[in-house]
Amino acid sequence: MSETPTTVVWFRDDLRISDNPALHEAVLRGDPIVCLYVLDDESPGIRPIGGASRWWLHHSLESLAESLKAVGLTLTLRRGPAREVVTALVGDVGATRVLWNRRYGEVERGIDGDLKSSLREAGVEADSFQGSLLAEPWTVLTGQGGWYKVFSPFYRAVMARQTPRHPLPAPTVGDGLHHRTVATDALADWHLLPTSPTPDWAGGLRERWRPGETGAAERLDTFLTERVSHYVAEHDLPAEEGTSMLSPHLRWGEMSPFQFWHALDGHRARASADAEGAAAVLRQLIWREFSYHLLYHLPSITTQNMREEFDRFPWVDPSPAELERWQQGDTGIPLVDAGMRELWQTGIMHNRVRMVVASFLVKNLRVDWRVGEAWFWDTLVDADPAANALNWQWVAGSGPDAAPYFRVFNPELQASKFDKHGSYVNRYVPEAGTPAYPEPMVDLKESRRAALDAYASIRG
Ligand code: FAD
């Protein structure tokens, strides 16, 4: 054991130094600090992150390392099953304390819980903090003590609580921090970036995004100064940058929901469109909380239909070529293709269009929602285990409080309402309407009818 008391701060979905309760606590104690990130794609049950997420993570870790360096700390990288890796590092440096911010997935909680017990048994202090959710799932319960299965009452319950705590400051050079130097992996050796230069699918990602805490703060600033007042009018228009675009930053914890909440709350107090916009975004932020609430109370949401009757649904197994047409944006339905190409090129897709492409897959093509969820998992930079599953189940009709199955989005109608001038479709599918563009892969009316017949067969 080392003579020097040492704190390990284990970073996970909280790649930031401001409003980071675990780091804040370590700074208060004043012992030397080891900042650790573990790439864990080996623990049993852990779902490896997808390609776009790997790209994001690489850059986010670079950014975190820079922020830490600026205040006198270094980032240590290790790879392997998290429990074993953290235990070994604690032994190597003779750490006396390990701190982290909580996560809410079942497998992750299992790892963290086991680790906490074994560290404490070994005489090492181990503590966890609330950093990634405003309302931890076990603290929001119905009058009967159960958990919420429907969004609106959950939203009301969260809003009726005390104002969330104010964000914590980032450490500064003045805190006189010192770090312990520990052997670290080289980030490049993790090969998180695409290895083959062609096709360079990350080009669009580089253009669109700046992963990391500074990029997140800039986006929040732009949103609040330029866009929040248009949010109510424009959030449903995919051609506009009408929403915050903060989802990947929230997913990776480069900005905490507490920071977002308080930034919005300041605007809620104002008159007019700013206040309306801020209140509407805040409601969306509570959807994020709701998805984690469900993930915690019903972990099977990521893989199982919440409504059991959907276990009998006659899904169609698509051929690889058919599936590829949807994935690559070659269905012959312009709005669907625009969305799928936006996703492939930029790692993101507008929420309205996500609903349309998902509905097209699970209803017009009658493909199991899990197939679509997996594609989104691989290609979205905001791929999030809770929000992705909840939203896919919502569109499929198999989730709680979901859009009823018989609500089949009509992509043509959606385009005429939300992309009136065709600017969004034109941006991604310029050949739509020309002979170069394929015929629709299914007839929208017929496939809708077939979907409703299939649904009728599982009811009752
Ligand atoms: P804003 O409108 O600015 O909203 C602010 C924040 O609220 C978002 O950053 C996000 O954190 C949260 N939020 C907004 N809408 C939702 C929602 N419906 N559910 C949960 N949280 C929400 N969102 C993800 O973060 N990760 C996913 O993997 C994901 N998969 C989806 C899959 C499908 C099929 C659908 C229909 C939606 C999915 N969403 C997912 C929700 C939503 O599309 C994105 O959160 C939103 O488009 C992000 O853009 P924004 O940050 O500009 O949102």
Side-chain angles (χ1 to χ4, degrees):
M1 289 284 279
S2 127
E3 309 266 295
T4 333
T6 299
T7 303
V8 173
V9 178
W10 179 19
F11 287 83
R12 299 100 65 83
D13 297 328
D14 51 356
L15 305 179
R16 61 177 184 274
I17 66 165
S18 56
D19 194 36
N20 187 320
L23 178 64
H24 186 73
E25 177 63 25
V27 171
L28 288 181
R29 174 75 66 101
D31 295 338
I33 300 174
V34 175
C35 295
L36 172 69
Y37 183 85
V38 181
L39 179 64
D40 181 0
D41 33 27
E42 289 173 45
S43 291
I46 282 280
R47 184 180 192 183
I49 57 173
S53 293
R54 289 165 67 85
W55 177 87
W56 191 285
L57 176 64
H58 177 99
H59 294 292
S60 192
L61 288 172
E62 275 182 343
S63 163
L64 177 65
E66 273 175 37
S67 307
L68 288 169
K69 195 170 163 204
V71 298
L73 298 173
T74 55
L75 182 62
T76 298
L77 303 174
R78 295 280 173 94
R79 184 172 197 162
R83 195 185 149 182
E84 284 82 339
V85 171
V86 177
T87 307
L89 181 110
V90 165
D92 289 350
V93 301
T96 43
R97 206 172 179 219
V98 183
L99 307 175
W100 62 75
N101 297 312
R102 286 190 280 277
R103 34 188 197 175
Y104 304 92
E106 188 179 35
V107 175
E108 290 81 358
R109 280 189 289 126
I111 294 170
D112 296 353
D114 285 352
L115 184 64
K116 199 184 257 182
S117 315
S118 64
L119 287 171
R120 285 180 176 171
E121 271 166 32
V124 177
E125 272 184 68
D127 283 308
S128 64
F129 299 84
Q130 177 181 359
S132 305
L133 287 182
L134 299 167
E136 294 193 299
W138 54 91
T139 68
V140 192
L141 297 174
T142 64
Q144 289 72 43
W147 50 279
Y148 285 96
K149 296 172 188 73
V150 176
F151 175 72
S152 294
F154 174 83
Y155 171 73
R156 285 194 295 273
V158 171
M159 295 303 281
R161 288 155 62 108
Q162 278 185 336
T163 306
R165 65 162 174 77
H166 280 272
L168 301 163
T172 65
V173 188
D175 291 320
L177 302 176
H178 24 272
H179 65 267
R180 291 278 306 274
T181 306
V182 185
T184 175
D185 291 358
L187 182 58
D189 291 346
W190 284 0
H191 301 294
L192 295 172
L193 299 178
T195 41
S196 152
T198 48
D200 176 19
W201 59 258
L205 273 63
R206 284 195 299 275
E207 231 170 75
R208 179 81 166 247
W209 301 106
R210 182 171 177 206
E213 201 166 355
T214 314
E218 279 171 8
R219 236 176 232 282
L220 176 61
D221 193 48
T222 311
F223 178 64
L224 292 177
T225 49
E226 294 173 15
R227 302 206 196 109
V228 68
S229 54
H230 308 288
Y231 186 83
V232 172
E234 293 186 355
H235 74 279
D236 251 339
L237 308 178
E240 307 297 329
E241 278 211 8
T243 61
S244 72
M245 306 274 177
L246 283 165
S247 53
H249 299 291
L250 284 161
R251 152 68 184 92
W252 295 100
E254 299 163 355
M255 188 182 58
S256 80
F258 296 90
Q259 293 171 306
F260 198 15
W261 170 288
H262 282 284
L264 289 169
D265 205 37
H267 282 253
R268 273 208 305 164
R270 298 185 185 182
S272 76
D274 262 29
E276 277 176 33
V281 187
L282 232 157
R283 191 179 165 87
Q284 293 312 107
L285 188 62
I286 306 303
W287 268 104
R288 176 178 177 274
E289 300 278 325
F290 183 55
S291 54
Y292 276 96
H293 187 77
L294 293 180
L295 178 75
Y296 175 85
H297 290 290
L298 191 70
S300 63
I301 189 182
T302 53
T303 51
Q304 304 297 316
N305 296 309
M306 285 193 64
R307 290 173 191 267
E308 277 174 15
E309 69 266 27
F310 277 84
D311 293 348
R312 301 191 298 272
F313 193 86
W315 300 112
V316 171
D317 214 1
S319 71
E322 277 167 339
L323 187 58
E324 201 166 295
R325 286 189 72 174
W326 178 77
Q327 291 173 332
Q328 303 300 330
D330 194 29
T331 66
I333 310 286
L335 186 60
V336 172
D337 292 346
M340 298 308 291
R341 293 183 197 184
E342 179 184 29
L343 173 61
W344 181 251
Q345 290 169 28
T346 69
I348 204 82
M349 192 195 305
H350 189 277
N351 182 59
R352 165 72 34 193
V353 192
R354 291 188 203 202
M355 293 192 282
V356 172
V357 304
S359 169
F360 181 76
L361 185 76
V362 295
K363 295 180 181 173
N364 298 94
L365 300 181
R366 261 191 298 139
V367 172
D368 192 325
W369 62 267
R370 284 160 281 221
V371 174
E373 195 272 347
W375 181 250
F376 272 30
W377 180 258
D378 197 26
T379 51
L380 275 173
V381 286
D382 68 11
D384 172 312
N388 203 26
L390 167 71
N391 281 285
W392 272 97
Q393 295 230 39
W394 185 88
V395 176
S398 59
D401 195 18
Y405 186 84
F406 54 78
R407 182 168 173 217
V408 181
F409 282 84
N410 179 327
E412 287 166 353
L413 210 63
Q414 292 286 315
S416 69
K417 267 194 188 165
F418 300 106
D419 189 34
K420 253 190 202 128
H421 307 294
S423 329
Y424 176 74
V425 162
N426 223 348
R427 191 180 304 156
Y428 292 102
V429 196
E431 78 279 23
T434 73
Y437 190 60
E439 288 295 313
M441 64 186 285
V442 284
D443 179 86
L444 289 175
K445 265 198 192 140
E446 276 170 26
S447 56
R448 176 177 183 276
R449 195 179 313 278
L452 296 183
D453 289 348
Y455 179 58
S457 75
I458 63 163
R459 268 188 307 169

